Amino acid sequence: MLDYDLTRWGMPLRYAVETVGTVAFAASGILAGMRRRMDVFGISVLGFLAAFGGGTLRDILLDRRPFFWVAEEEMLWLVLAMCALSLMLWRRGRRAAVSAKAIQVADALGLGLFAASGVQYALVAQMSPLVAVLMGVVTGVFGGVMRDIACNEMPTAFADHRPYAVLAFLGGWVYLAVQWLGGPAWAALIGATLVTTGLRLLALKLDWRLPGWRPG
Amino acid sequence: MLDYDLTRWGMPLRYAVETVGTVAFAASGILAGMRRRMDVFGISVLGFLAAFGGGTLRDILLDRRPFFWVAEEEMLWLVLAMCALSLMLWRRGRRAAVSAKAIQVADALGLGLFAASGVQYALVAQMSPLVAVLMGVVTGVFGGVMRDIACNEMPTAFADHRPYAVLAFLGGWVYLAVQWLGGPAWAALIGATLVTTGLRLLALKLDWRLPGWRPG
Amino acid sequence: MLDYDLTRWGMPLRYAVETVGTVAFAASGILAGMRRRMDVFGISVLGFLAAFGGGTLRDILLDRRPFFWVAEEEMLWLVLAMCALSLMLWRRGRRAAVSAKAIQVADALGLGLFAASGVQYALVAQMSPLVAVLMGVVTGVFGGVMRDIACNEMPTAFADHRPYAVLAFLGGWVYLAVQWLGGPAWAALIGATLVTTGLRLLALKLDWRLPGWRPG
């Protein structure tokens, strides 16, 4: 049922958005490695961890094989090409011309889509609603968490004090709500993505803060 | 056989102790996040990592599905409620009224029980004695290790210089000894837990030290 | 086919080299723990992580059970004995008499062999060439990465600025090239190991540098 809906909704659209998410997360990892003056291998690992870490952890937790990057191997080649490209741009002394804002927008899009697709994969694997929503959070967030841990930093998702993972959690429940109301899988996927990504962009624009331990 | 023994021993008792262990480890993660001034998401992740990290790693290594927190989903809701509760207490400006000592006692109990149950799961999965004992150590210790790595700290279990994981290792051999002597599974489970937890409490009380590299 | 070739090539040789690699990586972990003044448990965990981390991650990603350290359990006993031995040497006040250079040579050998065997395991599991080469890199490199992350350090493989993982990547393609040319599995295994290990030793001797972000 789910897969049938997805097929009708159109693989090209899903594929395009997934590619954008992968590129965005890979870029965030590559830029993080450059900022820390890693060598070309460290930069590549961070790119791969950020782009594939969340989805791989989800696939391990759901016991889903082949991994999504084995089934859609062109994603691996894409990220490998990005790593090679970043190296070439770099050797010629040019700085990557990607503004921090562009990265944030792409990251918000990736967060929303990866979280929504994580919920869907978990539902296909017969998980309960809470587990499915948590799988969505894992898919959307843990690529960035692994990137930060490999950099030997406290993950920004844990101490950013702006809504991030909480929005993926919220988007997961939107997915389930659409489905409980009888909506098709494509509507749930788009609705969840829009809520997560839209609220993330709003949160960045309006500087929303999460409750947290404030010094003083 | 093992499962039959466990059933007779009484699921309510096992369930109660497992719940105490989960609550204790989750509290240790939540408090660690508060101390580091993380936001509400970081605190929740640390609670989940500490409570479920060791058992999940064990289940992945044993290729055991569904995960214990999928089969007993109320554990997830329990930790989620603890995270929400900690947030509410916090917003009202109250400090968590949990003394460091209470945490240490609960942590010792969790260590003993999770280690013993890890040995049992591994034996049910036909692992050899050494692998089973190591699975017990992984189950009891790695939740805390993941919590500390996510906090960007050297895991306290590695550099505490008080017996901790070593006691889980010892408890695992106690489990096997009881079984080799013909004792039932419930006796092995209780014996291993008592040895690990009891020696841990004694070690804290008497300030035992492990051999290690002492400066000077 | 592959397994048949391997059998003819001689298990004793493969086994000997694999043992050397495990010992070398375990020693690197144990020495890293000593340098950081960890206690005996921390030192043991680092030894196990360095020796078994890369292969275990490979086995999880390939969904390969039993793990290699379950199938060849004497490897576990070997590393356990090394941890106990290091403790005894230590208590008698003797420093480990292993020079940094010996470690580097052993580490280069381990890198080459583990990377080549990782490619082979992935090909047996029907992975594509790129995935197989990446599995080789994971097998050879991630034991050391986990060791460094558990020490709360930025992994040296990411920021060493000398060729390391890149050579495992190169060795993986050598493996595939030998196979595409019709060579037997043992030739591919030896060729890939020689290229990776040989170039690593040359890189250390001649102080080759990877392109990276140089300050100034």
Side-chain angles (χ1 to χ4, degrees):
Chain A
M1 262 303 258
L2 279 166
D3 285 313
Y4 176 68
D5 272 344
L6 262 184
T7 310
R8 274 188 50 208
W9 173 49
M11 293 306 271
L13 178 55
R14 185 190 69 85
Y15 195 79
V17 190
E18 204 170 49
T19 306
V20 172
T22 300
V23 167
F25 276 138
S28 78
I30 288 171
L31 289 172
M34 284 181 168
R35 241 177 266 133
R36 275 158 203 81
R37 307 194 170 186
M38 291 188 171
D39 60 34
V40 60
F41 173 65
I43 288 170
S44 302
V45 169
L46 290 192
F48 275 90
L49 271 185
F52 299 116
T56 303
L57 182 56
R58 175 202 66 212
D59 286 353
I60 290 176
L61 293 175
L62 293 179
D63 211 10
R64 227 187 120 257
R65 305 299 152 94
F67 288 122
F68 73 103
W69 42 265
V70 171
E72 300 175 0
E73 195 186 318
E74 57 279 12
M75 294 288 179
L76 285 180
W77 288 104
L78 180 67
V79 173
L80 202 64
M82 285 178 67
C83 295
L85 188 72
S86 75
L87 182 65
M88 280 187 297
L89 286 177
W90 195 4
R91 298 197 72 173
R92 298 197 188 159
R94 289 183 214 148
R95 296 247 175 164
V98 183
S99 74
K101 192 151 192 184
I103 291 291
Q104 282 184 335
V105 171
D107 182 80
L109 190 61
L111 175 72
L113 185 91
F114 278 14
S117 71
V119 174
Q120 189 167 58
Y121 280 124
L123 290 175
V124 169
Q126 312 287 346
M127 293 291 138
S128 73
L130 177 61
V131 172
V133 169
L134 291 177
M135 287 294 144
V137 174
V138 163
T139 309
V141 174
F142 268 78
V145 168
M146 289 185 202
R147 176 197 64 207
D148 293 345
I149 288 177
C151 283
N152 193 25
E153 294 204 341
M154 198 201 290
T156 49
F158 295 178
D160 180 53
H161 291 269
R162 294 219 189 81
Y164 186 78
V166 166
L167 298 176
F169 190 74
L170 189 65
W173 291 110
V174 169
Y175 188 104
L176 290 168
V178 172
Q179 210 168 51
W180 282 328
L181 295 172
W186 62 263
L189 196 56
I190 290 182
T193 305
L194 284 181
V195 165
T196 302
T197 300
L199 288 179
R200 174 65 182 166
L201 292 177
L202 264 179
L204 287 172
K205 178 137 196 159
L206 304 180
D207 201 27
W208 287 345
R209 296 272 157 175
L210 275 183
W213 191 280
R214 283 181 216 88
Chain B
M1 262 305 258
L2 280 166
D3 285 314
Y4 176 67
D5 273 342
L6 262 184
T7 311
R8 276 188 49 208
W9 174 48
M11 292 307 271
L13 177 55
R14 185 191 69 87
Y15 195 79
V17 191
E18 204 171 49
T19 307
V20 172
T22 300
V23 167
F25 277 136
S28 79
I30 289 171
L31 289 173
M34 284 182 168
R35 240 177 267 132
R36 274 157 203 82
R37 307 194 171 187
M38 291 189 171
D39 60 35
V40 60
F41 173 65
I43 289 169
S44 301
V45 169
L46 290 192
F48 275 90
L49 271 184
F52 300 115
T56 304
L57 182 55
R58 175 202 64 212
D59 286 354
I60 290 175
L61 292 175
L62 294 178
D63 210 10
R64 227 188 120 256
R65 305 299 154 93
F67 288 123
F68 72 103
W69 43 264
V70 170
E72 300 176 359
E73 193 186 319
E74 56 279 13
M75 294 288 180
L76 284 180
W77 287 104
L78 180 66
V79 174
L80 202 62
M82 286 177 67
C83 295
L85 189 71
S86 75
L87 183 65
M88 281 187 297
L89 286 177
W90 196 4
R91 298 199 70 173
R92 297 197 189 159
R94 289 184 215 147
R95 296 248 174 164
V98 183
S99 74
K101 191 151 192 182
I103 292 291
Q104 282 184 335
V105 172
D107 183 80
L109 191 60
L111 175 72
L113 186 90
F114 278 14
S117 72
V119 174
Q120 189 166 59
Y121 280 123
L123 291 174
V124 170
Q126 312 287 346
M127 293 292 138
S128 73
L130 176 61
V131 172
V133 169
L134 291 177
M135 287 294 145
V137 174
V138 163
T139 309
V141 173
F142 268 78
V145 167
M146 289 185 202
R147 176 198 64 207
D148 294 344
I149 287 178
C151 282
N152 193 24
E153 294 204 341
M154 199 200 290
T156 49
F158 295 178
D160 181 51
H161 291 270
R162 293 220 189 80
Y164 186 77
V166 166
L167 298 177
F169 191 74
L170 189 66
W173 291 110
V174 168
Y175 189 103
L176 289 169
V178 172
Q179 210 169 51
W180 282 327
L181 295 172
W186 62 262
L189 197 54
I190 290 183
T193 305
L194 284 181
V195 166
T196 303
T197 300
L199 287 178
R200 174 65 182 166
L201 292 176
L202 264 179
L204 287 172
K205 178 135 196 161
L206 303 180
D207 201 27
W208 289 344
R209 296 272 157 175
L210 274 183
W213 192 280
R214 283 180 216 87
Chain C
M1 261 306 257
L2 279 166
D3 285 314
Y4 176 68
D5 272 343
L6 262 183
T7 310
R8 275 187 50 206
W9 174 49
M11 293 307 271
L13 177 56
R14 186 190 69 86
Y15 195 80
V17 190
E18 204 170 51
T19 307
V20 172
T22 300
V23 167
F25 276 138
S28 78
I30 288 171
L31 289 172
M34 284 181 168
R35 241 177 267 134
R36 274 158 203 80
R37 307 196 170 186
M38 291 189 170
D39 61 33
V40 61
F41 173 64
I43 289 169
S44 303
V45 169
L46 290 192
F48 275 89
L49 271 184
F52 300 116
T56 304
L57 182 55
R58 175 202 64 212
D59 286 354
I60 291 176
L61 293 175
L62 294 178
D63 210 10
R64 225 187 122 257
R65 306 298 154 95
F67 287 123
F68 72 103
W69 42 265
V70 170
E72 300 176 359
E73 194 186 319
E74 57 279 14
M75 294 287 180
L76 284 180
W77 288 103
L78 179 67
V79 174
L80 203 63
M82 286 178 67
C83 296
L85 189 72
S86 74
L87 183 65
M88 280 187 298
L89 286 176
W90 196 5
R91 298 199 69 173
R92 298 197 188 158
R94 290 184 214 147
R95 297 247 174 163
V98 184
S99 74
K101 192 150 192 184
I103 292 291
Q104 282 184 336
V105 172
D107 183 80
L109 190 61
L111 175 72
L113 185 90
F114 279 14
S117 71
V119 174
Q120 189 166 59
Y121 280 123
L123 291 174
V124 169
Q126 312 287 346
M127 293 292 138
S128 73
L130 176 61
V131 172
V133 169
L134 291 177
M135 287 293 145
V137 174
V138 163
T139 309
V141 173
F142 268 78
V145 168
M146 288 185 203
R147 177 197 62 207
D148 294 344
I149 288 177
C151 283
N152 193 24
E153 294 204 341
M154 198 199 289
T156 49
F158 295 178
D160 181 52
H161 291 270
R162 294 221 188 79
Y164 185 77
V166 165
L167 299 176
F169 190 74
L170 189 65
W173 291 110
V174 169
Y175 188 104
L176 290 168
V178 172
Q179 211 168 50
W180 282 328
L181 295 172
W186 62 262
L189 197 55
I190 289 182
T193 305
L194 284 181
V195 166
T196 303
T197 300
L199 288 179
R200 175 64 182 165
L201 293 176
L202 264 180
L204 287 172
K205 178 136 196 161
L206 305 180
D207 200 28
W208 288 345
R209 297 272 157 176
L210 274 183
W213 191 280
R214 284 180 216 88

